Amino acid sequence: MDDGESVYDTVSSALEIGYRHIDTASTYRNEEGVGRAIADSGIPREEIFVTTKVWNDEQGYEETLAAFDRSLKRLNLDYVDLYLVHWPIPGMYKDTWQALEKIYRDKRARAIGVSNFHPHHSDDLMKDVTIKPMINQIELHPQLSQVEVREYCKEHGIAVEAWSPIGKATYLDHPVLKELAEKYNRTAAQIMIRWDYQNDIITIPKSVHADRQKENADIFDFELSNEDMEKIESLNSGNRLGTDPDTVSLDSF
Ligand SMILES: NC(=O)C1=CN([C@@H]2O[C@H](COP(=O)(O)OP(=O)(O)OC[C@H]3O[C@@H](n4cnc5c(N)ncnc54)[C@H](OP(=O)(O)O)[C@@H]3O)[C@@H](O)[C@H]2O)C=CC1
Ligand SMILES: O=C(O)C(=O)[C@@H](O)[C@H](O)C(=O)CO
């Protein structure tokens, strides 16, 4: 979603509904609108959790420090809550990480992490770090349940965050999700988001519609049984909707 009124209105409505975590990125070109919506919301800064990310062509030590300054300026903030390396660009993510460590030590990011890192990327990165990644934001939804990355992160004390948590709404009519939606008197989107919540996965569903924003946040008053959690887990088919991190290079996207 580009900058301008659409992102301003979307973030304003989410904040009004009760959302307190906003996920943006330098490459989304909407940090200014996000910042304006936060400023105009009247909500104390410390109650809102803002994530942004360094884009691929901004990676490298000095480049990342400069990119972070630009992001903060666009957001009109003096710190972010979480700063992420957006993709593991070969040959660059280690220098990038050194910049994130500095930003963290300078208290300009309250937490630092990675995105789209397979376990082998994290292993490689962690050979040379002082501060290890606190979070890994990955594509994760019932058809791409990312068992291996989740196990790796658990073992290393890294929180897991799901992007495209409702599979970009491409399989809301899946029979198993429909059956569970009927059983719990919820929607398929709510079933998927609740599945994340019960798995301790941080989740960031996106909608530009206030009614869907409300729907997606309304998942705290029901509980999926263990059997149904497993039923959802069994939908894993490796259906990747985005790019495989192993194929990404500086020229991707
Ligand atoms: N780190 C990374 O590399 C990536 C991070 N992300 C982050 O993850 C966020 C979410 O991922 P995204 O790819 O948008 O996918 P989502 O799984 O959140 O799906 C978003 C899509 O679902 C629709 N939708 C949302 N809620 C409902 C609902 N209740 N019923 C029906 N349709 C619904 C939205 O349409 P509408 O808006 O019209 O309601 C939109 O088309 C992004 O906004 C971004 O911040 C995303 C991709 C990569
Ligand atoms: O949305 C993201 O966070 C991504 O990393 C990609 O979807 C990326 O922005 C892209 O596909 C650009 O064309």
Side-chain angles (χ1 to χ4, degrees), residues 124-136:
D124 182 44
L125 178 68
M126 287 203 284
K127 278 191 264 170
D128 299 308
V129 301
T130 309
I131 303 167
K132 67 179 189 188
M134 297 164 194
I135 196 163
N136 189 5

Side-chain angles (χ1 to χ4, degrees), residues 27-28 55 86-87 253:
T27 192
Y28 300 167
W55 188 239
H86 207 140
W87 289 91
F253 305 110

